[in-house]
């Protein structure tokens, strides 16, 4: 099935975002990234259940915000697509969502140490990164966000931010475009790596709230996003497209 050009362009960028987040070791065998339908805000695009490193155009499926496929055609689907629909429902400003289990982020989901920006590129994660815990509301579960009530609960904890951590599981990033969600996801990992290297030396000097706001506004503007996107494309093997 082919769509109008603006939709085809979004789908193409979604395939590239899958490859980029895989190449940058943010997403591995599990995890996923989606984009809201550019002309129908009640829908979004997400791959069928497949590792992002090998996602192609034909794997991309269209979903309603309740996670129901528009045309499943026998394809298997990600169990945790409730993450995407619930955030698109709660946040009209969000156009792209990514979920990953980046290893360097995981310590901050289980230890009482906040994940805050320690270098300028890390400012994009925002001044406060909350941790969502399924236990108080849902008790013992399989740890997956595999139903809408869990997705809604997660979206509430995300609030107006760009990042929410999942206790003992991973993280979710939400942003206003695919380039931004890749930027936030990649520098969430880089900031966590740097913080883990810094903590053994003592209490880090974090960016101030004012520095975080000004730096994030600058980094998530068109020029830095275009420059980073071109770099990631080259590293993922798509330079010159
Ligand atoms: Zn997960």
């Amino acid at each position: 099935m082919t769509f109008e050009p603006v939709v085809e362009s979004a789908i193409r960028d979604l395939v590239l975002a899958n490859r980029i987040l895989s190449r940058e070791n943010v997403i591995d065998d599990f995890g996923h990234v989606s984009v809201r339908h550019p002309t129908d805000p009640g829908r979004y695009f997400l791959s069928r259940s497949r590792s992002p490193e090998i996602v192609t155009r034909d794997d991309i499926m269209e979903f309603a915000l309740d996670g129901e496929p528009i045309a499943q055609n026998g394809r298997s689907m990600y169990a945790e697509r409730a993450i995407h629909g619930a955030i698109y429902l709660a946040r009209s400003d969000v156009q792209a969502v990514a979920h990953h289990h980046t290893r360097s982020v995981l310590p901050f989901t289980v230890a009482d140490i906040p994940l805050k920006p320690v270098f300028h590129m890390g400012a994009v994660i925002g001044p406060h990164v909350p941790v969502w815990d399924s236990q108080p509301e849902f008790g013992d579960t399989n740890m997956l966000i595999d139903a809408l009530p869990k997705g809604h609960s997660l979206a509430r904890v995300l609030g107006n931010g760009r990042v929410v951590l999942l206790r003992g599981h991973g993280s979710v990033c939400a942003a206003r475009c695919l380039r931004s969600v890749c930027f936030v996801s990649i520098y969430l990992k880089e900031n966590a790596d740097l913080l883990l290297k810094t903590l053994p030396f003592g209490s880090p000097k974090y960016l101030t709230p004012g520095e975080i706001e000004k730096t994030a506004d600058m980094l998530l503007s068109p020029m830095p996003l275009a420059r980073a996107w071109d770099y990631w494309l080259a590293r993922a093997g798509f330079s010159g497209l």
Side-chain angles (χ1 to χ4, degrees), residues 38-167:
T39 59
D40 183 350
R43 294 185 179 185
Y44 64 93
F45 292 104
L46 178 71
S47 170
R48 70 181 170 101
S49 181
R50 203 167 196 213
S51 294
E53 186 158 357
I54 50 173
V55 162
T56 66
R57 168 68 182 82
D58 289 342
D59 295 317
I60 303 300
M61 297 176 64
E62 186 177 1
F63 294 91
L65 297 191
D66 63 3
E68 288 302 312
I70 303 307
Q72 186 174 357
N73 296 332
R75 292 174 286 186
S76 59
M77 304 178 289
Y78 292 129
E80 293 191 287
R81 59 190 187 282
I83 293 170
H84 303 265
I87 292 176
Y88 290 129
L89 198 61
R91 293 273 301 275
S92 60
D93 60 311
V94 167
Q95 304 299 321
V97 173
H99 168 52
H100 18 71
H101 312 126
T102 315
R103 299 302 183 269
S104 54
V105 173
L106 285 174
F108 301 95
T109 75
V110 291
D112 192 21
I113 301 171
L115 182 45
K116 299 200 293 187
V118 278
F119 84 130
H120 70 309
M121 306 301 280
V124 295
I125 68 173
H128 170 64
V129 175
V131 180
W132 179 76
D133 187 344
S134 53
Q135 190 60 234
E137 236 176 302
F138 302 99
D140 291 338
T141 69
N142 61 7
M143 303 296 287
L144 297 182
I145 302 176
D146 54 5
L148 271 177
K150 295 178 189 171
H152 293 319
S153 173
L154 176 75
R156 280 194 294 276
V157 173
L158 171 68
N160 291 320
R162 295 190 198 98
V163 182
V164 57
L165 305 186
L166 285 60
R167 194 263 302 168

Side-chain angles (χ1 to χ4, degrees), residues 2 24 39 42 91 115 128 186 190 193 209 215-216 226 238:
T2 53
E24 301 303 327
T39 59
R91 293 273 301 275
L115 182 45
H128 170 64
I186 290 166
E190 295 292 323
D193 284 337
T215 309
F238 296 99

